[in-house]
Amino acid sequence: MRLDTELLAPAGSKESLQAALDNGADAVYFGLQSLNARQGAENFKLEELETTVEYIHKHNARAFLTLNIDLTTRDIGKAAKILTVADYAGVDAVLFTDPAILLLKPHFPHIEFHFSTQASITTSEGVKAAKDLGVARVVLAREMSAEEIQIACNIKGVEVEVFTQGALCMCISGRCLLSSWGGGKSGNRGACTSPCRVNWRISNNCSEDILSTQDLSLIEKLPELIKNGVACLKIEGRLKNAAWVGKAVKLYRDVLDGKEHYKKADTLPLGEYTGRNMTDGYYTNQRHTIFGSGGRIAKKKQSSSYEDSTPTAKIETITAIHTDSSSDLPDSFDLSIMSYNQALECEIDFNNQKEAWTLPKTIIKHASRGLTISDAAGWLGQLTIQDTTMNKFITDNPDFMVSKKAVNKIADRISATIHRIKKQETQKAANKITLTDKVRALTKFKEANPENKFTLTDRPNTMRIHVSQAEEILATIKPERIIIEEAQDRDITHLLNIAANSEIIIALPTVFFEYEIKSIKKLCHICKDLKVKVEVNGWDSWKIARDIGVEFTGGIGIAVLNPLAAESLQELGFKSVAFSLEAGEKQLIDLARSCPIESMLTTFSRPILAHTRADFTDKIDETSILRDSRNISLNVHFRNDITEFRSTKPFSIGGIDSPEIQVRWLCVDLINSPNPVQEWKNAHKLKNKNLFNFDKGLF
């Protein structure tokens, strides 16, 4: 855990990286040119990673690498290599969302792993889940209120990170299929085309940018966030230029350092980049106030005052190496901090190699904002840094007050220095990335579960319905399995009676917030008592179901794109998994060949394309139809304070002759069907021209 609140800045390019560091970022997050959620940014090359991390560490900051997308089967080997290089390069943390990373994580113990906001964690139960999974930090959903954030921060043993500035998505991150539905460019794969920023026609009215939100600004809420225990304040903006990044970081740095007390209005100049105003509507529970102009579409790279001052570190080709586990390197280091000049002079001695650096002195106005050098040494002495501990400490002034930020920077510099010295002591490998045997074994997938034997030409055996449809549909249709959405605890006994010999599964919400936890737990307890499975659709509901002990399956809210993710969920107690709705034919074939657990594939559906917590009730109702210029049409459903936009038109892949795609459960989603009985009967006969991404693949 850190002693003070960390300021995390975006770095979509080298220029933005320098701007962030020059203006006081404690850490920066950046992506490589593949497998990150901002493919439109300039990003960094894999061979640049070592020198990029060294440059960041020389500025006494931490380096966070984004690996925060849904991974396909063919991505797993690449992800393993990226983690191998990241470990060698000294990356401090990796942001991720795909469950496959949970199985790779133990093989890289020197890297922190953080759940990206793409993991859609919205409650304290999700934070508890992260703790159970050994995840060091959670980036919370941006839709959470001040009270909900505070409750999440009360979970000990895992850090909480909160977005405080930048663009807002209309949809909850990780829950959006709009861009993918409109052309295969998935936001969950880092290729979002921002369809929420364009005009939509509401029924027969004039078109408007109804789905577009203003930009986020919580700058005046920083004291409250810090008081409530937020470990990290995050600025969005990997698609923005260096000038914007520099200005944003400086504003927040000044507030954190006590130099200024900025208001939300002071961040309005940052909105000039996008043409949007600022909002804190989610944080303050004023969710009807978040809307605004779609703004301008920013160019990939714009002129910047930082463009002529790029990092001076020379970018060289990196060679991955193996750490010799039999190394006789010392397990301790010596540290000195001297205060007799105008700066703090620090020196570490490890393995007979010394490295010195300086930090500027900071005047501590309040004792609560700092600690003595003696106390700082005591805290550092309790840490294990790169598998080493402090042996000896020397100072000339033990009572001198230093800032908590400075102590964190000293700890980070110690970590970076020891890591670099350890690298120098290892044998240089060939100029290629070499995976360890254990990591390589994870990329060699298991055999497919023998129960996965049904193809797209077989009749479906599973249906998904809304609880309000159950009485009508189950009077005439008795499939092998029925997944029921929005059922309440009082409904379960009646559903069991009318389902006859069909197995029912109660779907837990794909998105829910703190106030719903009590009712979801009650529902799970009743399902456990009646021996009814529940469908888990996220980490929040996984934690609840697992703790209560009810049997659970995986739903489309925690769907998989690769066999390692399926294996990971299997180890976490899932009885079956759902294949991603977004997958193309080749991706489904790759996944089906090696899926070790029973799997479900939805072959017919009018899918939910967006879940949002924005308050649309004064703009639309459940009779409204939204259409864009590509003739995508959406209907509206309100569930508590969540608005769901579901396609009015179905996709159908039933009946396609693709024999290598084999699953246990073929699911037909009949929610919003005008004639569910007839659609069920015809679901395995291909008549629909809309195949979603099946025929074109997923970007």
Side-chain angles (χ1 to χ4, degrees), residues 149 175 192 233 263 316 444 594 611 647:
I149 292 171
R175 303 299 187 202
C192 180
L233 306 172
K263 299 293 184 183
E316 298 175 347
K444 306 295 183 183
S594 304
H611 296 77
S647 172

Side-chain angles (χ1 to χ4, degrees), residues 40 46 70 119 296 304 346 372 482 502 524:
L46 182 62
D70 294 341
R296 297 184 296 273
S304 162
C346 308
T372 66
I482 310 159
S502 300
C524 286

Side-chain angles (χ1 to χ4, degrees), residues 7-11 17 20-21 25-30 56 61-65:
L7 179 59
L8 178 60
L17 174 63
L21 296 173
D26 297 313
V28 292
Y29 64 102
F30 59 96
I56 294 168
R62 298 209 292 167
F64 295 176
L65 181 66

Side-chain angles (χ1 to χ4, degrees), residues 372-568:
T372 66
I373 287 181
S374 178
D375 288 340
W379 181 76
L380 291 167
Q382 297 176 32
L383 300 181
T384 299
I385 304 176
Q386 296 289 336
D387 297 325
T388 66
T389 56
M390 188 165 64
N391 173 50
K392 182 170 65 176
F393 179 77
I394 301 172
T395 184
D396 63 329
N397 190 350
D399 296 325
F400 186 82
M401 294 293 293
V402 294
S403 68
K404 295 176 181 178
K405 174 187 171 184
V407 180
N408 279 329
K409 288 185 177 296
I410 291 170
D412 291 342
R413 186 61 177 264
I414 293 170
S415 177
T417 301
I418 293 175
H419 183 87
R420 184 166 58 253
I421 293 173
K422 283 186 173 183
K423 285 193 305 182
Q424 294 170 353
E425 300 299 321
T426 58
Q427 183 179 0
K428 296 291 183 179
N431 190 17
K432 67 177 183 178
I433 301 166
T434 305
L435 302 180
T436 66
D437 291 341
K438 291 182 178 180
V439 171
R440 187 183 296 107
L442 287 172
T443 68
K444 306 295 183 183
F445 308 120
K446 295 182 177 179
E447 293 184 0
N449 189 298
E451 293 298 315
N452 294 330
K453 56 190 176 184
F454 297 97
T455 69
L456 295 176
T457 57
D458 289 314
R459 286 184 176 273
N461 53 18
T462 303
M463 70 163 57
R464 182 181 297 273
I465 60 175
H466 187 269
V467 65
S468 63
Q469 299 172 289
E471 199 79 47
E472 174 190 358
I473 294 176
L474 298 184
T476 57
I477 304 174
K478 305 295 183 184
E480 187 176 350
R481 174 182 273 193
I482 310 159
I483 302 170
I484 303 174
E485 294 197 356
E486 296 196 42
Q488 305 299 312
D489 55 273
R490 61 182 178 272
D491 301 320
I492 308 303
T493 300
H494 179 60
L495 289 169
L496 284 170
N497 290 333
I498 64 176
N501 294 324
S502 300
E503 179 187 21
I504 69 166
I505 296 177
I506 303 303
L508 302 182
T510 301
V511 175
F512 62 92
F513 289 86
E514 199 72 28
Y515 69 92
E516 297 178 81
I517 290 175
K518 184 177 179 180
S519 63
I520 293 172
K521 286 184 175 180
K522 183 179 180 182
L523 178 63
C524 286
H525 276 293
I526 290 175
C527 287
K528 179 186 178 183
D529 292 342
L530 295 175
K531 294 181 171 54
V532 173
K533 290 189 182 78
V534 299
E535 182 186 72
V536 162
N537 282 291
W539 294 114
D540 306 74
S541 55
W542 169 76
K543 173 64 175 173
I544 292 173
R546 193 192 68 156
D547 284 358
I548 289 173
V550 61
E551 285 197 355
F552 54 91
T553 64
I556 54 178
I558 195 166
V560 300
L561 262 175
N562 67 81
L564 195 60
E567 182 180 342
S568 176

Side-chain angles (χ1 to χ4, degrees), residues 180-184 581 603-607 609 631-633 647-654 656 686-696:
S180 183
W181 185 259
L581 296 180
T603 62
F604 181 96
S605 176
R606 295 171 177 83
L609 301 182
N631 203 30
I632 294 176
S633 58
S647 172
T648 64
K649 303 173 184 178
F651 77 86
S652 176
I653 58 175
I656 294 178
L686 181 62
K687 292 184 178 180
N688 192 347
K689 294 181 180 179
N690 182 6
L691 305 181
F692 200 174
N693 291 324
F694 189 87
D695 57 338
K696 57 180 175 286

